[in-house]
Amino acid sequence: MSAASDGRPSERQRAGAAMGRELSERGRSPQGGVVSAASDDLRSTADSGDVQDTAEVFRGTASGATRLRDERSSDGSDQQRAIPAFVLGEELADLADHDDRIAVLTADLAKANRLNDFAGRHPDRFFNLGIAEKNMITVAAGMAASGMVTYAATFASFSALLGCEQIRTDCAYPHLPVRVIGHHSGMSMGFYGTSHHALEDLGIMRTIADLTVVCATDANHLRGVLRASVDHPGAMYIRLGRGRDPEVYGDVPDVRFGEAIRVVDGGDAAIVATGSTVHPSVAAAQRLRAETGAAVAVYDMHTVKPLDTGAVAAAARTGRVLVAEEHNHTNGLGTAVVEALFDGGHHDVRVRRVDVPDEHVPIGPPAALYAHYGLDADGLLAALRQLLDTYT
């Protein structure tokens, strides 16, 4: 019961309200202030009238203090003109120029996911279903059953979590060519809180039979994923970040689902990463090599299902494996890699996992959250050092 029987606020509500007022005055999060250490700097920056580079803040590469609030970030579309990485609509429009089967659907988010780029060029094959994500996925399945190849995009928290039943029953079970795109995944919607975070999606999606699960790494990789997806059999879940992803691939790679890409060579240890963690993994490996000479391989495990067990075996031959993912500790890439190591008989490999523990994350800028959970280059470098030092 949320309130006292006489209509007055309960003791719990009064305590919560008091905490809210205190935190509002102190300007930090309830979990202990992930960004509170820089609170003085944040206030001074705001007072000075300087505008933070939110493109860097949201992709997790900002240096210095990051403010908790920016008036331009209300709907996720605040800096479209400065976001070259979000190429979803543009690439789908290019593909649709040569393939009449392609149709695109969204749930009132054409600005945030840049599908307005597609709508402008192919208005007859663009469908905005409004804030009705489950319905959007079912409509996409119906269109796919009629011969279309459909791409249905919304926030990952609403596609994979809210639309799980529709993805399983309407898309994967009948083996239809529906590509459910979950953008703004993980903690990239940091300011918006738990309702908009998607740290469980890979765990849910990888348990659905006949569903391919893929994470895009950067803009060029996303182009490769979309190109490879057109004729891929069956349903797919494609996980994207916020569209401000730092570059890993200078050119569009040849993406083959189920085959990881080794982006850095090395034999002293290996990092298996996916999506947003690939870039900081490369940076951590490069820094460690510059400092110590240790050569650490980095694998972009873009396909979480089916997993490239051959790449896992290659990583295991180094004797030390670090798995990095922007996902809950349970049932994501780390779990899949450990399962593959065990099933493959690689029982003597030292494994360390860097991910999000089984908790609801604090509210704050993504850059601060990545640092808090050790998912930035500094955190992964520290994890690598520990892995190498402990088991040398």
Side-chain angles (χ1 to χ4, degrees):
M1 184 176 294
S2 61
S5 58
D6 61 0
R8 294 176 297 170
S10 66
E11 181 178 349
R12 188 179 208 176
Q13 284 179 312
R14 290 194 297 271
M19 175 179 284
R21 288 192 298 273
E22 178 185 354
L23 293 174
S24 178
E25 293 170 0
R26 297 167 65 182
R28 62 181 180 87
S29 66
Q31 285 80 357
V34 173
V35 296
S36 62
S39 59
D40 292 338
D41 290 337
L42 303 186
R43 294 191 193 97
S44 63
T45 302
D47 293 341
S48 70
D50 293 339
V51 177
Q52 61 183 340
D53 182 351
T54 52
E56 292 188 354
V57 170
F58 279 105
R59 72 174 173 246
T61 59
S63 59
T66 53
R67 296 197 299 282
L68 287 176
R69 181 174 181 177
D70 191 299
E71 297 300 334
R72 299 170 298 161
S73 60
S74 60
D75 66 355
S77 64
D78 45 296
Q79 293 187 67
Q80 294 182 54
R81 295 180 301 278
I83 309 171
F86 220 155
V87 298
L88 177 62
E90 176 187 305
E91 182 63 31
L92 286 175
D94 289 346
L95 293 171
D97 286 343
H98 308 286
D99 195 327
D100 293 337
R101 299 173 301 160
I102 294 175
V104 170
L105 304 87
T106 192
D108 206 31
L109 288 173
K111 287 197 301 181
N113 55 31
R114 293 297 295 272
L115 287 180
N116 50 9
D117 293 339
F118 182 93
R121 292 166 57 182
H122 298 283
D124 57 328
R125 285 186 274 163
F126 174 76
F127 302 89
N128 186 346
L129 276 293
I131 306 175
E133 293 84 2
K134 294 181 179 182
N135 185 51
M136 176 187 69
I137 295 171
T138 296
V139 170
M143 294 173 69
S146 302
M148 305 296 286
V149 178
T150 54
Y151 293 80
T154 186
F155 291 149
S157 56
F158 301 151
S159 57
L161 278 65
L162 191 62
C164 175
E165 179 186 0
Q166 285 69 34
I167 292 174
R168 183 197 66 172
T169 307
D170 296 345
C171 303
Y173 176 52
H175 203 64
L176 292 172
V178 180
R179 287 74 176 96
V180 177
I181 298 173
H183 52 82
H184 293 72
S185 63
M187 301 177 290
S188 65
M189 291 285 281
F191 291 99
Y192 294 83
T194 297
S195 65
H196 284 60
H197 294 164
L199 293 162
E200 310 87 358
D201 56 335
L202 296 180
I204 295 170
M205 294 293 100
R206 67 182 289 261
T207 62
I208 297 178
D210 293 327
L211 182 69
T212 300
V213 181
V214 180
C215 301
T217 302
D218 64 7
N220 279 328
H221 188 255
L222 173 57
R223 290 185 187 277
V225 167
L226 293 174
R227 294 173 190 180
S229 72
V230 176
D231 293 316
H232 184 73
M236 300 181 68
Y237 175 68
I238 302 175
R239 188 190 210 227
L240 312 183
R242 195 181 171 96
R244 297 160 171 83
D245 314 293
E247 183 178 283
V248 174
Y249 298 97
D251 300 302
V252 178
D254 179 18
V255 174
R256 301 181 183 182
F257 301 128
E259 295 184 20
I261 301 174
R262 189 174 66 243
V263 291
V264 178
D265 292 326
D268 295 317
I271 305 175
V272 179
T274 192
S276 66
T277 57
V278 177
H279 185 271
S281 294
V282 170
Q286 291 173 339
R287 287 170 57 182
L288 187 69
R289 185 158 195 166
E291 294 174 8
T292 69
V296 176
V298 178
Y299 291 87
D300 180 356
M301 191 67 74
H302 52 79
T303 309
V304 177
K305 180 188 177 183
L307 193 74
D308 186 348
T309 55
V312 173
R317 286 194 284 273
T318 68
R320 303 172 179 86
V321 175
L322 178 70
V323 186
E325 60 178 324
E326 186 183 348
H327 189 271
N328 187 287
H329 184 75
T330 303
N331 208 29
L333 175 64
T335 301
V337 169
V338 170
E339 290 170 349
L341 290 171
F342 181 83
D343 292 345
H346 306 288
H347 303 154
D348 57 346
V349 180
R350 306 297 183 179
V351 180
R352 181 176 176 83
R353 297 167 60 184
V354 182
D355 46 37
V356 178
D358 193 21
E359 65 185 36
H360 299 296
V361 305
I363 311 302
L369 295 175
Y370 298 151
H372 178 64
Y373 290 109
L375 289 168
D376 59 356
D378 289 342
L380 295 176
L381 178 59
L384 271 178
R385 286 171 176 157
Q386 185 177 34
L387 184 65
L388 291 168
D389 292 345
T390 303
Y391 303 115
T392 299

